[in-house]
Amino acid sequence: MNRTICWLVLLFSLLSFPVYAGGQDRERTVEIRVATQDTLIGLCQKYLTHPEKWPQVSKLNRLPDSNRISPGQKIIVPVALLKGAPMDGVVTSLQGEAFFCPTGNSEWKPLQLRDTVKEGSSLKTAANSSLEISFEDGTSFLLREQSLLTVKASKKGMLHLLRVLRLEGGKIISRVKSATGKDSRFEIETPSALAAARGTHYRVAVDGQGTARAEMLESRIDLSAMGTTVSLNEGEGSLARRNEPPSPPIRLLRPPEPLNVAAVYGNRSSEIRFSPVQNAAQYRVLLARDQEGKQAARIAVIKPDEGFVFEGLDDGSYYLLTSSIGAEGLEGPLSKPYEVKIRRKPLPPDIVAPLDKAALPEMPLKAQWHNVIGVSAYQVQIASTPDFSGALIESGDLKKTVYSSKELHEGAYYLRVRSLAEDGYAGDWSAAHAFSVVKLMPPSLHKPDGNDNKLYLEWEPMKGASGYHLQIARDEAFGTIIIDQMPAASKLVLENPPEPGRYYMRVAARNADQETSAFSKSGSFEIEQSKHYFYETLGFVGGVGLALLLVLL
């Protein structure tokens, strides 16, 4: 004789679900579905601690004749009268956020792994979250994202097990241990239908309109509503809208197969496309850390002609699972797990030298970069084109964060570095640094100095230079150049400095072939009112005084 366990959900709200606090104001009850040859007294003997209280059950159900009950009829029984020890559940998997509300309480509290879920507790999951509750008898259920249910009864007797839930919204995936006892009952109640378990693996879902959907994955379940019961075999589903009987069994669609599963390397988005499935309206795709899809990292519902796009995941192995959703909203079985390896680390190093857009002399290049934690080696590329096609230099595996190359000739170059993991996997290349190699480097300017009507100018002497080109201008753009000379040494003394004001100076190096480097960065200096002006005035006044003195003498 088949028995089922009813699960009654207190109507606490999750997002769009309405608030309901009836569990605090009235006695908790469960519904037991009458089977063939059941009698009220017989049911009370099996499930009540005190079977002699059957008149109380009869009165609660307003039975006109306690000796006559019919198969399929629902008998309401107060939880307080049920026999058996309460069997708590345990949180065995948690992804994202989930909350529980103890019986008689209105405060939602966050759940953690290994937390205990007692009889009467309400549970809800947030967006992009899932929650698995397991029981000592081997039964478990997984709540998908944005689901709401209540474990109203979970009792274990000598020869029976009674578990009662009600799913108010979202989706639950149940795994029921078979052979739990001839008098065991396992049922999931929804606002529009009742799913009675005769199977070991099935889904029940409730959408925002209260429509219930049952999807049989293994064995059988019965979906009952409005006095009609539909038996679902493995691979079948049915839906029951509010105040309507369940639909006839509908064959569930096979899952789509991915067309391009491959390892993902580098910091870029990835897209997976799928084979067509006839009559599928949508595909549900998830990428999870585990092969069963409990620890989902990404979830998407896409159209059959769309791709599944994902990015931003940590390194590691993930599993792709898919299912097809028909026009009725029934979801088919999950595909086998497809492994997807993601490698985005190690991170690329930051280049310290040469600086981006630097000009370097013709001498061996010394490149340097910051160390990256967890890296076993580095690789360097130097090319004359920004796309590094036909790289001029490709280093081997470098253990240090420095690289010296042979002398590079005059020209423009690009350098980049990447890290190697312990297993040899090479990460992304760093951002390229552009640099140029020149025969003559522009000199570095020294600070000008001046006194006694002289201005002393000096700059860094350059290797290979036979002379220099000096320019001084009144403006930074060197539009008005007032001094333009070709000194042989790296210094120059101006005997008669320009009049007071701000000036700009730059220098280029010249070699024996009269090739000239680029000009140095310009430097500015200020010529103030000459200090000897005061002494000149004094000299003039003194001279006049001396002349007057001679006249007087």
Side-chain angles (χ1 to χ4, degrees):
M1 183 183 302
N2 294 312
R3 292 291 185 266
T4 57
I5 302 177
C6 304
W7 293 17
L8 180 60
V9 173
L10 301 176
L11 307 183
F12 289 106
S13 67
L14 172 61
L15 301 177
S16 61
F17 300 118
V19 175
Y20 177 76
Q24 299 180 25
D25 301 324
R26 62 188 182 190
E27 185 178 26
R28 292 187 297 124
T29 62
V30 297
E31 294 179 352
I32 296 178
R33 183 77 59 172
V34 176
T36 304
Q37 298 182 351
D38 275 344
T39 64
L40 179 63
I41 294 177
L43 290 174
C44 292
Q45 287 175 340
K46 293 176 183 177
Y47 296 110
L48 269 57
T49 303
H50 301 285
E52 65 273 13
K53 293 188 177 181
W54 65 264
Q56 182 178 337
V57 176
S58 178
K59 181 178 179 181
L60 177 64
N61 288 271
R62 300 178 181 178
L63 298 178
D65 187 349
S66 300
N67 295 317
R68 298 185 63 180
I69 55 177
S70 305
Q73 183 178 351
K74 292 184 292 186
I75 300 297
I76 299 173
V77 179
V79 172
L81 298 183
L82 295 173
K83 65 182 177 181
M87 183 163 33
D88 297 337
V90 176
V91 178
T92 51
S93 177
L94 176 59
Q95 175 75 18
E97 293 182 312
F99 305 87
F100 78 102
C101 182
T103 180
N105 197 327
S106 60
E107 181 182 0
W108 289 98
K109 299 179 181 179
L111 277 169
Q112 306 291 336
L113 278 174
R114 310 311 303 173
D115 277 355
T116 298
V117 176
K118 295 185 175 295
E119 182 183 71
S121 297
S122 294
L123 308 172
K124 67 179 179 180
T125 53
N128 301 316
S129 302
S130 64
L131 171 68
E132 182 186 57
I133 305 296
S134 300
F135 298 86
E136 65 179 47
D137 67 313
T139 296
S140 66
F141 63 82
L142 180 73
L143 275 185
R144 283 188 180 173
E145 64 273 12
Q146 295 182 311
S147 297
L148 173 67
L149 72 82
T150 294
V151 180
K152 191 169 183 184
S154 179
K155 292 183 179 293
K156 182 179 181 181
M158 292 294 293
L159 297 175
H160 77 283
L161 184 146
L162 179 65
R163 188 159 292 124
V164 181
L165 291 179
R166 177 184 172 91
L167 180 67
E168 195 63 36
K171 178 166 280 192
I172 181 174
I173 303 172
S174 300
R175 291 185 180 273
V176 182
K177 183 181 178 181
S178 58
T180 53
K182 65 177 183 178
D183 293 322
S184 295
R185 293 179 183 264
F186 195 109
E187 294 181 357
I188 299 177
E189 188 178 285
T190 75
S192 56
L194 177 71
R198 284 190 284 168
T200 58
H201 188 194
Y202 60 99
R203 304 190 199 104
V204 177
V206 177
D207 63 20
Q209 287 71 46
T211 300
R213 291 176 173 85
E215 298 146 1
M216 192 62 242
L217 305 178
E218 294 177 16
S219 297
R220 295 180 62 189
I221 60 170
D222 290 337
L223 185 67
S224 301
M226 302 299 293
T228 301
T229 298
V230 174
S231 294
L232 301 177
N233 295 313
E234 187 171 319
E236 294 180 336
S238 175
L239 70 156
R241 296 183 174 84
R242 287 184 183 272
N243 303 318
E244 293 183 13
S247 69
I250 300 171
R251 193 67 188 171
L252 301 178
L253 301 176
R254 64 175 178 83
E257 297 179 0
L259 299 176
N260 57 328
V261 174
V264 178
Y265 297 102
N267 294 315
R268 61 184 184 275
S269 63
S270 302
E271 181 179 15
I272 299 176
R273 305 193 74 86
F274 303 91
S275 62
V277 175
Q278 189 176 4
N279 299 324
Q282 294 174 311
Y283 295 155
R284 186 177 189 271
V285 186
L286 66 88
L287 204 58
R289 284 285 193 180
D290 63 298
Q291 297 189 34
E292 295 183 7
K294 297 176 184 177
Q295 300 294 321
R298 295 289 186 273
I299 303 174
V301 176
I302 61 175
K303 296 179 180 179
D305 59 349
E306 294 178 340
F308 173 56
V309 180
F310 59 94
E311 60 183 347
L313 294 174
D314 293 332
D315 285 5
S317 292
Y318 295 80
Y319 296 92
L320 180 76
L321 297 109
T322 67
S323 57
S324 297
I325 302 174
E328 308 84 2
L330 292 172
E331 180 183 344
L334 285 179
S335 67
K336 68 178 184 180
Y338 298 89
E339 186 176 13
V340 178
K341 290 185 177 180
I342 295 179
R343 292 298 302 267
R344 305 191 188 279
K345 295 178 181 177
L347 297 174
D350 291 327
I351 298 175
V352 177
L355 295 175
D356 192 27
K357 300 179 181 178
L360 306 176
E362 283 187 326
M363 57 186 298
L365 171 71
K366 184 178 180 180
Q368 192 171 1
W369 52 90
H370 286 304
N371 183 48
V372 178
I373 297 176
V375 167
S376 65
Y378 302 93
Q379 292 178 341
V380 173
Q381 277 190 344
I382 298 176
S384 58
T385 56
D387 61 358
F388 287 83
S389 57
L392 302 175
I393 296 176
E394 293 195 46
S395 75
D397 295 353
L398 306 171
K399 297 298 182 182
K400 297 182 179 180
T401 58
V402 63
Y403 173 73
S404 296
S405 79
K406 61 184 180 181
E407 183 173 320
L408 294 173
H409 298 296
E410 184 178 16
Y413 298 93
Y414 300 87
L415 178 143
R416 64 184 183 181
V417 187
R418 67 180 178 184
S419 307
L420 299 180
E422 292 288 346
D423 61 0
Y425 167 67
D428 287 345
W429 288 104
S430 67
H433 274 208
F435 65 96
S436 60
V437 174
V438 296
K439 289 184 177 181
L440 286 174
M441 291 289 294
S444 298
L445 301 178
H446 294 181
K447 184 178 180 181
D449 190 19
N451 56 57
D452 300 331
N453 283 331
K454 294 181 181 180
L455 181 62
Y456 297 89
L457 305 176
E458 191 172 356
W459 49 91
E460 195 74 22
M462 300 306 298
K463 181 181 178 181
S466 61
Y468 300 91
H469 184 187
L470 168 68
Q471 287 184 340
I472 296 177
R474 288 187 176 276
D475 60 293
E476 191 173 5
F478 287 81
T480 306
I481 298 174
I482 61 173
I483 294 177
D484 193 343
Q485 297 190 20
M486 300 288 183
S490 60
K491 61 179 65 176
L492 182 67
V493 179
L494 296 179
E495 297 291 343
N496 296 301
E499 62 185 31
R502 177 173 292 276
Y503 295 88
Y504 297 88
M505 167 184 168
R506 64 185 182 182
V507 180
R510 294 182 297 112
N511 62 15
D513 298 327
Q514 299 303 307
E515 294 174 325
T516 305
S517 74
F519 275 107
S520 64
K521 291 184 178 179
S522 64
S524 65
F525 60 92
E526 190 87 21
I527 295 181
E528 299 178 354
Q529 183 71 35
S530 177
K531 294 180 180 179
H532 59 257
Y533 174 81
F534 174 70
Y535 299 106
E536 289 175 351
T537 303
L538 288 180
F540 172 75
V541 173
V544 173
L546 180 59
L548 290 175
L549 180 61
L550 292 173
V551 171
L552 291 176
L553 292 177

